[in-house]
Each structure stands twice: as structure tokens, then as C-alpha cells.
Amino acid sequence: MILSRLTARLARKRPARGMHVCFVGSGPGDAELLTLKAIRALENAQVVIHDRLVSDEILALAPQARMVDVGKTGFGPSVSQDQINALIVEHARTGARVVRLKGGDPTVFGRLDE
């Protein structure tokens, strides 16, 4: 529900043609297990908003991108989901190719249905 509201807000603020957001899952953490589409998204990303569970090996696939760590730690400081969503929107509005890189499966752990 949150994602659909964000998408609607984005569409009102800027034409959809200029925005690109891709949700990528790092799976079990081995870069060799990523899909080709995931690798291409990382290679073309300008901004990567990632979790702490993503391996350095996978982050290295996007050396040109600005890295934004939004990882959460138990009982430590964390970035709320609303803040993460706002970051995605903020960078997408600039026309940057944004990758939201999640540990594991982004549809299960990435709150895509919210």
C-alpha cells in the first residue's frame, strides 16, 4: 500500500519516463548467484540503497554508484521504512537510476507489498 502511494506521488511530480527504480535481491549473498538482470541493474545504477546484509562482493558490482547504507541492526540505530521509501523517491526524482538492494528476496524482505 505504501509503495503504491509512493508510485502515485512520483507520477504526479515527474513524468515516469525519467525515473528508474529497480528492486534487487542479493539472495544468499554470493555474487555468482545473482541473475543477469540484477547484475545489469547494479552495473547501470547511479544510486544503490542497500541493507547491511548485502556482501561487499555484490556492492562491488556497482563501483560507479553512490552507496546509501540503510541497514538495520538489532537494538541499534536504524532507518525507518518510511525514510527508506523517501530516499528512493528523492533519488528517483532527480532522474538517477536507483537500485534498492535487499538481502535475500526483495519481495519477501523488501516490503514490496506495503
Side-chain angles (χ1 to χ4, degrees):
M1 193 191 300
I2 291 173
L3 189 58
S4 61
R5 286 194 306 249
L6 286 172
T7 304
R9 252 191 288 170
L10 279 172
R12 287 192 304 269
K13 298 284 184 185
R14 184 181 172 119
R17 262 181 94 185
M19 295 181 294
H20 182 82
V21 177
C22 185
F23 290 82
V24 174
S26 68
D30 186 339
E32 291 183 8
L33 298 176
L34 292 174
T35 65
L36 293 174
K37 197 168 190 174
I39 292 169
R40 277 194 297 271
L42 288 166
E43 289 174 341
N44 293 311
Q46 294 169 305
V47 178
V48 175
I49 300 171
H50 66 90
D51 289 346
R52 288 202 174 104
L53 295 176
V54 176
S55 70
D56 290 337
E57 178 186 23
I58 291 174
L59 293 175
L61 295 172
Q64 75 292 343
R66 176 177 177 222
M67 296 292 171
V68 180
D69 183 350
V70 293
K72 301 175 189 220
T73 56
F75 305 106
S78 66
V79 180
S80 73
Q81 190 61 49
D82 285 340
Q83 290 171 311
I84 293 169
N85 294 341
L87 281 169
I88 294 169
V89 171
E90 174 188 329
H91 290 290
R93 279 190 186 143
T94 69
R97 288 183 307 275
V98 179
V99 170
R100 173 63 173 113
L101 183 57
K102 292 287 300 173
D105 183 336
T107 58
V108 175
F109 303 112
R111 300 180 177 175
L112 288 179
D113 62 338
E114 291 182 17

